[in-house]
Amino acid sequence: MKVENHVSLEFPSASANEGFARSAAACFAAQLDPTLEEINDVKTAVSEAVTNAIVHAYPDTLGKIVMKLRIRDDHSLEIIVRDWGVGITDVDQARAPLFTTGGEERSGMGFTIMESFMDTLKVRSQLGKGTTVTMRRNIARRAGR
């Protein structure tokens, strides 16, 4: 699939940047003319991916997060959230509902939420080298688009 438009954003893993990433993704996705439900799904998935990087990748320090957004020629939105943090020991275990390494205040539902709001979710991670989360959402074509 050909990329029709793209943007890349880099920001520190400060919690205030979760809202920025969420808003930036929604604004970029707007060119696909999504429904409110579609845009809310994208915002929720981005929020979970960025929050995971903030909380889990850099538990004791600030680090770098890069978010890439791509519009594909099949009318889909691809979102890549990458960090260079501690990495995930067992990706399959981390994707299981209710599993968390973040303590009692964390629900362990981040990957489950991303998966339920996006059409595809891929997670690649290496210990000590970071994690890359790739999500894709097809945006329905409405009459008159």
Side-chain angles (χ1 to χ4, degrees), residues 50-144:
V50 171
T51 297
N52 273 0
I54 291 168
V55 171
H56 300 290
Y58 305 107
D60 301 317
T61 186
L62 284 180
K64 177 173 76 169
I65 298 173
V66 170
M67 182 172 71
K68 294 181 180 183
L69 304 163
R70 297 177 178 147
I71 302 292
R72 299 274 181 182
D73 62 358
D74 65 350
H75 214 255
S76 68
L77 174 67
E78 183 178 68
I79 303 160
I80 300 167
V81 176
R82 182 171 182 205
D83 67 66
W84 286 262
V86 300
I88 300 170
T89 304
D90 184 336
V91 171
D92 290 334
Q93 183 182 38
R95 289 183 69 162
L98 305 178
F99 177 82
T100 185
T101 59
E104 291 179 17
E105 70 279 0
R106 297 286 162 200
S107 70
M109 294 298 289
F111 287 127
T112 302
I113 291 168
M114 286 180 246
E115 201 164 33
S116 66
F117 285 106
M118 302 301 280
D119 293 316
T120 63
L121 172 69
K122 294 179 187 172
V123 182
R124 289 188 355 249
S125 191
Q126 282 188 289
L127 286 179
K129 294 187 178 185
T131 301
T132 302
V133 173
T134 304
M135 304 177 283
R136 185 170 290 170
R137 173 68 186 250
N138 296 313
I139 304 298
R141 295 182 192 268
R142 292 185 285 163

Side-chain angles (χ1 to χ4, degrees), residues 21-36:
R22 189 178 154 95
S23 296
C27 289
F28 185 77
Q31 64 193 289
L32 289 169
D33 194 22
T35 64
L36 286 176

